[in-house]
Amino acid sequence: MEIRLLGTVEVHTDRGMLELGTPRQRSVLAALAVDARRVVPRETVIERVWGDVPPRRARDTLYVYIGRTRQALDSVDGGKARLVRRSSGYLLDAEVHEVDLHQFQALQDAARDPGCPDRPRAELLARSLALWRGMPLADLSGDWVDRVRQAWHRRRIGVATEWAQTLLRLGDAGAAIGPLTEMSAEYPLAESIAASLMNAMAAVGRGTEALDCYLAIRHRLADELGTDPGDQLRSAYQSILGRASSPGRAAQRPATPPTPRARAIPAQLPLNVQRFVGRRTELAQLDALAAADRSGAMVAVIAGTAGVGKTALAVHWSHLVADSFPDGQLFLNLRGFDPLGQAVDPAEALHRFLEALGVPSERIPADPDAKAALYRTEVAGRRMLVVLDNARDTGQVRPLLPGAPGCLVLVTSRSQLSGLVATDGAQLITLDLFAQAEARELLAHRLGEDRVTAETDAATEIITACARLPLALAIVAARAGAHPHIPLRSLASELSRSGGRLDGLTTTDDPATDVRAVFSWSYRILGPAAARLFRLLGLHPGPDFSIPAAASLAGVPVAEAAPLLAELTRTHLLSQHEPGRYTFHDLLREYAADLSRSTDSGPDRQAATHRILDHYLHSAHTADHLFSPGRDPFPLSPSQQGVTPEHLAGQDQALAWLTAEHAVLRALVDHAAATGFDLHARQLAWAMATFLDRRGHWHDCVTVQRTAVAAAHRLPDLPARAKAHRLLARAYSRTGSLDDAHTHLRHALDLHGEFDDPAERAHTHLTLGYVMELRGLYSQALDHAQQALDLFRANGLQSGQARALNAIGWDHALLGDHQQALDYCHQALAVNQELGDQIAQASTWDTIGYAHHHLGQLKQAAACYEQALSICRECGDRYNEADVLTHIGDNHRAAGDLDAARIAWLSAMDILAQLDHPSADEVRQRLQQS
């Protein structure tokens, strides 16, 4: 058994992880485990779990939690940890090796033994650091948790510093640089970590980077704490500067401060191309580029026509040199020439890369420029390979270029991207059709040398008919390989008899060349059901799709769709780029769409589009309800026959599905509006709104809701128009565009005059009050909140009444009437608790805490804020988590604890800055003035 506290609170056994229950119950285990083998008084446990103001029945609840924890520990066969009751409290009887915190301390103590040599000392310290899995007690909250967490962080920093100094003495400074860089990202204001990193860099000849590191932390200390570097940092800086300026070495001026390495090391390259042939000249060009010594990021553009093998070359070479880029490989299909026009927006590409680099989604800025800056920061100082496949133009690529040396960017495109070549120094590699010998080599590799040699003339005719286009040759080879009994002569004759040309593909002036005929070979061997599914997949807006989505598109059960997708994959018409998710080459997508237009009737195509939109709408509606159960539902029409929505159970599955389908859902809103399904466009936008808001995708939310507003105005449903304007206004308010938000809310109110819907009018007044509050017009905000409450009461909508009551309480607090605020908020809390609306409860607890704070009741305020913070973290509501942390900092300052206040404000500012929220500046000012 191992009890883990240095991360989330977990108990691991030989049979797996124990179920520990709610966060509060896990807090009980943590409160005892930190003092394992020592009796912890009962009142101390209660204070650690509930804070200074525990609930009235805290002791009774503690008995329940103790019993459950004891039962869980006793269920482990061979586990020695036992929970024992003593007259004065409770004792967790556990061995040192059974609690990671105590392992950490024991290893540190052994390393500090004066008789321990440096090499074993370094190994002991490294083992102690390896026990950390992230933020200690990551799933818990409260004053005690914050205090011990900060103390443990200080101990970790001390151990890391000792370890680095030991490696320096051993002459192994290079081994310290990577881990110290990662730790400096976690502790950007830790001067001892920065000094150790600077010394390690200088020891391996990276003096300029060491000086840059000093400049970076000096700026952070000034900006965030208003202080200058301490003696340790200044001493390291002067020492390195002196060495850089010594005779025989020119002093170098520090350049852009490097940013610490992210924890994640992405490995996103697709599978390597099997039996890759040819392209020796181009491979040599890429090898030479990788070996070149450049002052900035190296960029290569592989340009050529569709299907010429640009991606195959890029992926194959990337696998060959992957070991030369130890900090990771990023890969993204930008879909620049997608037949449906769904190219990946650079901001979305940046978001995906930042997530791959270990930046949590909720901490990624919404502003595209801020995303690009954070991306360049994350990759600075790293040696990485970035593959940007199928780029449309220079504008799509340029935001994705790293800004520092060490990285190589490989771009593939049908365009030559002359802007990158002229302005960014990219090396252009133009990929032509296969030479005759290369084309023959491909056939020989796929079909066997004997077979090709036996029918040389037929092989030559196949090569000519395929225009030496690698994609076409690969498909023909797959067909021939699957039917070894068919002579190549027969295949060549069949190919030469085919007619037509795939629109938009120009590879040669020879009219005998027909790429469409090559694709048709894979298509014609399909069974009827797989052929129909392939055609209909041309109607899917992409970028990829799941098995249930494909089943709904075709109107068949999931059990039937899976083998059909496997058939399409075997014939190279689809590829499974990750488990359960499929995509296909854009030429094949276009071919599928063409086939559908020429084969399937208009009503059949319309029905398929209706089914796929129903699939995502009903799935998104279910996910939204699980993700935000307190939200008012909207009526959905029954889905079309044959639709199989996703089966989702619980908030975690809902969040995972929404995250995986984010790009698809965004594309579907536009697709629905463009194909005449305006109701689906509006309802999909509604179902996405809460997810986009809580995850910080506010600019996406604005884009989606704009489309929804346009769609709603093409519908006769006036309430739907008003709701669409309100949701767009909410999205605008998140981005700080308050004038735009106000304009759309006025549109909504004007529409309310044309129909009677008290609940929707109430929601509009509530949102308008929020905008007024953001403008600082608190009396007007209160007036709108009161109107909302009256309308909600008239309609009998309890959840709306609770939100309005809390808004009224908050506005009273902002106006200085804190007792009145408490009266309204306690009414709101009672309703929210009855409804089980967690997010609304968190907001109300925050308001109650704010009122207590301004009444001078700081302990009561702290207890309320703890409740709000715990709920926000459990529900993943990052913005409101930052808001509560700001108030917690204010409360600590009022209590005279400036250190605790700074910690809370720093946490809040970090979240707000990553969400690109204007409130970050307000919190930054608090830090500067403290």
Side-chain angles (χ1 to χ4, degrees):
M1 178 193 297
E2 183 182 18
I3 300 171
R4 299 182 179 179
L5 307 178
L6 301 175
T8 53
V9 178
E10 300 170 356
V11 177
H12 285 255
T13 73
D14 291 340
R15 294 183 297 175
M17 195 161 62
L18 289 186
E19 174 56 51
L20 297 178
T22 65
R24 196 77 74 187
Q25 185 170 335
R26 295 197 295 275
S27 295
V28 171
L29 176 61
L32 297 170
V34 296
D35 286 316
R37 310 196 78 174
R38 290 196 295 269
V39 175
V40 183
R42 184 182 301 106
E43 297 308 317
T44 299
V45 178
I46 291 174
E47 188 274 332
R48 289 176 176 179
V49 174
W50 283 280
D52 294 337
V53 187
R56 286 180 300 173
R57 300 183 64 103
R59 182 172 294 210
D60 294 338
T61 306
L62 177 61
Y63 291 149
V64 174
Y65 288 155
I66 289 288
R68 291 174 180 172
T69 304
R70 180 185 292 115
Q71 185 177 13
L73 296 177
D74 289 347
S75 69
V76 180
D77 295 334
K80 296 181 180 180
R82 293 290 182 268
L83 204 163
V84 182
R85 183 177 180 181
R86 295 284 187 262
S87 59
S88 57
Y90 300 97
L91 176 144
L92 181 66
D93 188 7
E95 300 293 334
V96 169
H97 68 272
E98 290 185 303
V99 183
D100 61 356
L101 174 67
H102 299 300
Q103 291 182 58
F104 173 77
Q105 185 61 56
L107 290 166
Q108 183 180 359
D109 291 343
R112 287 176 174 171
D113 187 312
C116 183
D118 276 345
R119 181 60 66 186
R121 176 179 290 115
E123 292 172 358
L124 289 167
L125 294 172
R127 285 171 56 195
S128 69
L129 292 171
L131 292 169
W132 284 65
R133 298 172 291 111
M135 176 75 75
L137 309 179
D139 48 345
L140 307 183
S141 61
D143 288 342
W144 173 75
V145 170
D146 289 341
R147 288 195 303 271
V148 298
R149 185 182 286 155
Q150 293 306 314
W152 297 353
H153 278 308
R154 287 192 293 271
R155 288 164 62 182
R156 184 190 184 202
I157 290 170
V159 171
T161 303
E162 290 180 50
W163 172 75
Q165 291 170 348
T166 305
L167 288 182
L168 283 169
R169 289 196 300 270
L170 291 168
D172 195 11
I177 292 176
L180 286 174
T181 304
E182 293 178 2
M183 289 197 70
S184 67
E186 294 183 66
Y187 307 107
L189 302 177
E191 297 188 37
S192 62
I193 294 293
S196 298
L197 177 58
M198 289 165 57
N199 287 327
M201 286 178 168
V204 296
R206 294 165 59 179
T208 299
E209 293 178 57
L211 296 176
D212 289 344
C213 184
Y214 174 79
L215 289 181
I217 190 169
R218 187 183 71 180
H219 289 313
R220 285 197 297 270
L221 291 169
D223 291 345
E224 299 185 23
L225 300 180
T227 62
D228 294 323
D231 293 340
Q232 185 180 10
L233 262 177
R234 287 199 303 270
S235 176
Y237 174 69
Q238 293 296 335
S239 174
I240 296 166
L241 190 63
R243 275 182 279 172
S245 303
S246 62
R249 296 185 61 180
Q252 301 180 50
R253 187 171 185 82
T256 305
T259 300
R261 181 194 312 263
R263 290 182 184 174
I265 299 180
Q268 295 187 327
L269 294 178
L271 288 175
N272 198 358
V273 181
Q274 296 297 315
R275 294 174 290 188
F276 183 86
V277 300
R279 306 307 191 192
R280 293 174 181 82
T281 300
E282 291 82 3
L283 289 169
Q285 288 177 279
L286 290 169
D287 287 340
L289 179 66
D293 185 12
R294 298 285 187 91
S295 59
M298 296 173 285
V299 183
V301 176
I302 302 175
T305 191
V308 79
K310 302 182 296 294
T311 301
L313 172 61
V315 170
H316 178 66
W317 182 79
S318 296
H319 276 282
L320 293 177
V321 300
D323 289 345
S324 299
F325 297 93
D327 295 321
Q329 307 90 43
L330 295 169
F331 180 93
L332 184 61
N333 181 0
L334 296 176
R335 303 175 67 221
F337 294 89
D338 189 289
L340 296 179
Q342 300 292 336
V344 175
D345 184 79
E348 173 63 20
L350 288 165
H351 195 104
R352 296 188 200 178
F353 278 172
L354 286 168
E355 287 185 322
L357 289 165
V359 180
S361 179
E362 66 273 10
R363 299 182 60 191
I364 297 173
D367 178 70
D369 290 339
K371 281 182 181 176
L374 179 58
Y375 167 69
R376 291 192 296 271
T377 298
E378 287 294 324
V379 300
R382 302 183 60 157
R383 184 160 178 79
M384 297 190 67
L385 177 63
V386 181
V387 183
L388 305 174
D389 189 34
N390 199 10
R392 179 184 57 213
D393 51 35
T394 298
Q396 191 186 24
V397 170
R398 186 164 282 135
L400 309 179
L401 299 180
C407 294
L408 190 149
V409 182
L410 191 54
V411 187
T412 74
S413 179
R414 297 186 197 177
S415 167
Q416 291 189 344
L417 304 183
S418 55
L420 285 182
V421 176
T423 306
D424 300 276
Q427 178 170 332
L428 177 62
I429 298 174
T430 301
L431 204 60
D432 203 348
L433 301 171
F434 265 160
Q436 187 75 16
E438 290 176 316
R440 188 188 183 286
E441 186 182 359
L442 184 148
L443 292 180
H445 270 70
R446 303 290 180 90
L447 305 178
E449 179 64 39
D450 292 344
R451 188 176 181 188
V452 172
T453 301
E455 296 190 75
T456 300
D457 292 343
T460 300
E461 289 181 28
I462 289 173
I463 291 169
T464 301
C466 289
R468 292 178 282 118
L469 186 69
L471 176 63
L473 286 165
I475 293 175
V476 172
R479 162 75 161 155
H483 299 279
H485 61 282
I486 299 178
L488 295 185
R489 166 54 57 197
S490 298
L491 300 179
S493 299
E494 183 179 352
L495 187 58
S496 65
R497 289 195 300 269
S498 301
R501 179 181 294 275
L502 191 63
D503 296 340
L505 177 63
T506 303
T507 61
T508 177
D509 293 330
D510 183 359
T513 300
D514 182 12
V515 177
R516 188 190 300 276
V518 175
F519 292 165
S520 73
W521 280 30
S522 289
Y523 172 72
R524 280 186 286 151
I525 66 172
L526 298 173
R532 174 176 175 270
L533 175 58
F534 176 71
R535 296 194 305 269
L536 295 180
L537 285 170
L539 307 178
H540 190 287
D544 59 0
F545 47 87
S546 64
I547 298 175
S552 294
L553 179 66
V556 300
V558 172
E560 291 183 22
L564 298 180
L565 291 169
E567 184 177 349
L568 293 173
T569 303
R570 286 194 302 272
T571 54
H572 299 273
L573 291 172
L574 290 183
S575 62
Q576 187 176 188
H577 70 99
E578 61 180 75
R581 297 195 72 85
Y582 296 80
T583 188
F584 48 0
H585 190 283
D586 53 6
L587 282 180
L588 287 165
R589 184 190 297 273
E590 182 179 347
Y591 176 60
D594 283 352
L595 281 174
S596 184
R597 283 190 288 268
S598 63
T599 305
D600 302 314
S601 68
D604 284 347
R605 288 164 50 79
Q606 186 80 349
T609 299
H610 199 160
R611 285 194 299 270
I612 196 62
L613 289 170
D614 273 1
H615 170 86
Y616 285 105
L617 176 58
H618 283 261
S619 301
H621 184 269
T622 299
D624 179 68
H625 177 70
L626 293 169
F627 190 60
S628 52
R631 202 173 178 212
D632 300 338
F634 66 86
L636 278 181
S637 299
S639 60
Q640 298 295 296
Q641 185 175 0
V643 172
T644 308
E646 301 277 352
H647 176 71
L648 303 171
Q651 189 177 88
D652 289 345
Q653 285 191 19
L655 177 58
W657 184 83
L658 287 165
T659 301
E661 303 289 357
H662 173 198
V664 177
L665 292 170
R666 193 177 61 182
L668 275 166
V669 173
D670 289 335
H671 186 61
T675 53
F677 289 90
D678 288 322
L679 180 60
H680 285 79
R682 182 185 66 77
Q683 292 182 334
L684 274 168
W686 187 95
M688 295 172 66
T690 299
F691 167 76
L692 293 175
D693 182 63
R694 286 203 203 156
R695 304 303 288 181
H697 300 300
W698 292 325
H699 288 274
D700 277 358
C701 198
V702 167
T703 300
V704 165
Q705 298 303 337
R706 279 178 182 162
T707 302
V709 166
H713 276 272
R714 293 190 292 269
L715 295 168
D717 188 345
L718 293 180
R721 292 183 196 174
K723 181 176 291 187
H725 279 291
R726 173 170 62 82
L727 290 176
L728 179 54
R730 180 75 178 183
Y732 272 130
S733 71
R734 290 299 207 191
T735 64
S737 304
L738 300 184
D739 289 341
D740 290 326
H742 192 268
T743 297
H744 283 279
L745 288 168
R746 296 310 310 181
H747 284 318
L749 285 178
D750 291 343
L751 286 166
H752 289 314
E754 302 180 41
F755 66 91
D756 183 25
D757 187 339
E760 185 55 37
R761 181 188 290 269
H763 280 301
T764 301
H765 277 292
L766 204 56
T767 307
L768 193 51
Y770 175 66
V771 173
M772 292 298 175
E773 172 206 316
L774 294 176
R775 289 187 182 278
L777 304 174
Y778 304 139
S779 295
Q780 294 181 42
L782 177 60
D783 179 62
H784 284 292
Q786 186 62 59
Q787 291 183 66
L789 178 61
D790 295 341
L791 289 164
F792 280 132
R793 282 175 170 165
N795 195 56
L797 191 60
Q798 281 192 300
S799 62
Q801 291 177 47
R803 289 188 175 91
L805 285 165
N806 183 49
I808 291 171
W810 178 247
D811 293 332
H812 275 300
L814 294 174
L815 289 165
D817 192 347
H818 303 297
Q819 191 57 56
Q820 188 85 318
L822 288 174
D823 293 341
Y824 277 101
C825 288
H826 281 296
Q827 294 178 57
L829 185 62
V831 177
N832 285 325
Q833 289 175 332
E834 181 180 346
L835 296 173
D837 190 336
Q838 290 283 89
I839 291 296
Q841 287 181 52
S843 179
T844 307
W845 277 118
D846 181 53
T847 308
I848 294 172
Y850 185 87
H852 279 303
H853 169 85
H854 285 82
L855 288 170
Q857 301 162 350
L858 302 185
K859 286 189 176 181
Q860 293 93 321
C864 295
Y865 287 146
E866 179 193 344
Q867 292 278 358
L869 185 64
S870 177
I871 295 172
C872 286
R873 286 174 171 169
E874 285 184 18
C875 296
D877 190 341
R878 296 289 283 165
Y879 170 70
N880 283 312
E881 178 185 349
D883 202 34
V884 174
L885 283 166
T886 303
H887 293 156
I888 288 174
D890 295 343
N891 205 55
H892 281 309
R893 177 175 60 184
D897 191 345
L898 279 180
D899 287 340
R902 289 191 188 99
I903 291 169
W905 288 332
L906 279 169
S907 299
M909 188 181 69
D910 181 54
I911 295 171
L912 292 169
Q914 297 298 339
L915 291 176
D916 193 30
H917 198 277
S919 298
D921 290 335
E922 299 175 16
V923 181
R924 189 176 289 107
Q925 289 177 7
R926 284 174 166 85
L927 282 163
Q928 292 172 347
Q929 295 168 1
S930 60

